[in-house]
Amino acid sequence: MATKNPPFKIILGSSSKARREILSEMGYEFTVMTADIDEKCIRREKPEDLVMALAEAKADAIVQRLPTGGPLEEDASTTLLITADTVVVYRGVIREKPTSEKEARDFIKGYSGSHAAVVGSVVVTNLATGKRCGGWDSAEEILVQLNTI
């Protein structure tokens, strides 16, 4: 797909390969910056609140690392920062990124034949104005029996 030349620059505040692929497949050029926050320190009872709080915390952390600790000086009027987060809710328990391959396998095995919901958020910050918009959405999945793990 041809590269789009939008009237703004994009900073993707994520190390997610999937998020990079989505923007690339849409034809956008972007810079990647990671937030480097301790996500385990941010807790919320509802998954919707958690993913929003995490995406906002990532945006805050990245903004603080930009020149002068705030908006990009020359490019601020044309730069958008995109941050996001996703969790899985299984049997009422919020599951974040697994911390090991074993934990990932255990999660997947546990989902087999059951329902799980994926809750994700996206926050877009205009670095010139500081204005921030975001939202969350969820999808419930019926997971099939996994015999190969």
Side-chain angles (χ1 to χ4, degrees), residues 37-43 50 54 58 85 96-97:
I37 62 170
D38 183 359
E39 294 184 22
K40 300 293 183 194
C41 289
I42 300 171
R43 301 290 88 199
L50 178 61
L54 288 168
K58 291 173 186 179
D85 199 75
E96 297 175 74
K97 291 180 207 129

Side-chain angles (χ1 to χ4, degrees), residues 55-60 63 81 123-126 129-134:
E56 290 170 354
K58 291 173 186 179
D60 291 341
V63 167
L81 170 61
V123 171
V124 178
T125 304
N126 179 321
T129 64
K131 184 174 180 173
R132 189 175 283 179
C133 293

Side-chain angles (χ1 to χ4, degrees), residues 12-26 30 32-34 58 84 86 97:
L12 176 60
S14 174
S15 60
S16 166
K17 181 180 175 184
R19 292 183 184 114
R20 288 192 311 265
E21 287 176 357
I22 290 168
L23 283 179
S24 292
E25 288 174 8
M26 292 176 70
F30 54 93
V32 175
M33 290 183 74
T34 56
K58 291 173 186 179
T86 304
K97 291 180 207 129

